[in-house]
Amino acid sequence: MLMQSALSLIYPRQCATCEAPVTQAGGLCGDCWRETPFIMGLCCDACGAPLPGYSDDAWLCDECMTWGRPWSRGRAALIYGGRGRKLVLQIKHGDRLDLMPIMGTWLARAAEPLLTPDTLVVPVPSHWRRLLKRRYNQAAELSRALARQVGAEHAPRALARIRATRIQDGKPAAERFTDVRDAIAPHPRHGGALAGRDVLLVDDVMTTGATLGASTEACLEGGAAKVDVVTLARVAKDT
């Protein structure tokens, strides 16, 4: 504790998205907190996208009614836009692993309706070639932080990406679904952890849901009883 106090004097804690001083490592200053697009209130029950109005019933967005989803329910912590996009890019390309504890808290809040006593937290897998380049799988880091926050079992190697896929950014939806088809499967050694479990899949961003869909199908192939999904951010049409 004394060491941490001394370090905070030498290296003052700064906001995760600007240089303003904060009291909590990895936290947001007041201005950035107000400008961060957290998803609150009514949202799509399948993907977590924000919806207008208020209701105690489950609603689906137009996209989820059009595409359908192989998983049961979904949630997201942020809208992928503005400071939400900046935060995602910081962990995806900026090596900001120091942000994982606070992001685990945001994910836990978003995922609360999906959690069961038997929840197994599983990340969307990354291909080994991408791991060599990036050095870590941001989905696995997020899922680890979430599992710690809620006290759930974590299975970071339950799924494997058995075929390298191209970067999905900018691709139309149909091409995204084609690219990830048969690219994800239960891990040959660790996939047994899925059998009979309520799986909570974790990823950084959901755009079309193609990768989460392929991961869900792999979980069900591995014997999962149910699959829900949670992402740090959700791309929404109005952002």
Side-chain angles (χ1 to χ4, degrees):
M1 184 66 69
L2 291 176
M3 178 64 72
Q4 291 177 345
S5 299
L7 287 173
S8 66
L9 292 174
I10 301 171
Y11 304 105
R13 293 166 176 164
Q14 294 181 328
C15 173
T17 61
C18 73
E19 297 182 354
V22 294
T23 58
Q24 181 182 2
L28 300 175
C29 68
D31 289 341
C32 289
W33 180 271
R34 287 187 290 273
E35 294 174 10
T36 299
F38 291 100
I39 297 176
M40 311 291 286
L42 184 63
C43 66
C44 174
D45 198 48
C47 73
L51 296 174
Y54 300 90
S55 176
D56 293 329
D57 298 324
W59 289 80
L60 297 179
C61 67
D62 291 343
E63 188 173 325
C64 288
M65 287 191 289
T66 300
W67 287 98
R69 306 297 183 187
W71 60 82
S72 297
R73 303 174 70 193
R75 292 293 186 274
L78 310 168
I79 296 172
Y80 186 72
R83 294 197 182 271
R85 180 176 182 273
K86 183 176 181 179
L87 285 163
V88 170
L89 294 179
Q90 282 180 318
I91 64 167
K92 198 165 189 173
H93 303 297
D95 294 338
R96 291 295 306 275
L97 296 181
D98 59 298
L99 301 180
M100 291 301 169
I102 190 68
M103 289 180 173
T105 301
W106 299 342
L107 282 167
R109 182 173 58 198
E112 184 178 3
L114 313 177
L115 298 172
T116 73
D118 192 44
T119 291
L120 178 70
V121 180
V122 176
V124 167
S126 183
H127 193 266
W128 64 268
R129 293 178 187 170
R130 191 162 295 172
L131 282 175
L132 285 177
K133 181 178 180 180
R134 191 171 287 170
R135 302 186 306 282
Y136 63 89
N137 174 10
Q138 69 274 7
E141 297 299 327
L142 288 169
S143 65
R144 181 176 291 107
L146 169 59
R148 287 175 177 170
Q149 184 70 30
V150 301
E153 185 178 349
H154 186 221
R157 294 194 287 175
L159 296 178
R161 195 174 288 249
I162 57 177
R163 177 172 56 80
T165 54
R166 294 170 293 175
I167 299 297
Q168 299 288 302
D169 295 350
K171 292 182 180 179
E175 189 173 345
R176 288 171 180 256
F177 281 91
T178 299
D179 281 354
V180 297
R181 187 176 299 143
D182 300 323
I184 299 172
H187 193 284
R189 290 181 57 193
H190 307 288
L194 299 165
R197 300 298 297 271
D198 294 339
V199 172
L200 180 61
L201 270 175
V202 181
D203 204 0
D204 56 348
V205 181
M206 176 180 171
T207 304
T208 62
T211 302
L212 284 164
S215 299
T216 296
E217 290 168 355
C219 288
L220 295 173
E221 180 185 342
K226 182 184 70 167
V227 181
D228 292 323
V229 304
V230 65
T231 59
L232 179 63
R234 172 69 167 105
V235 174
K237 291 183 178 180
D238 58 349
T239 61

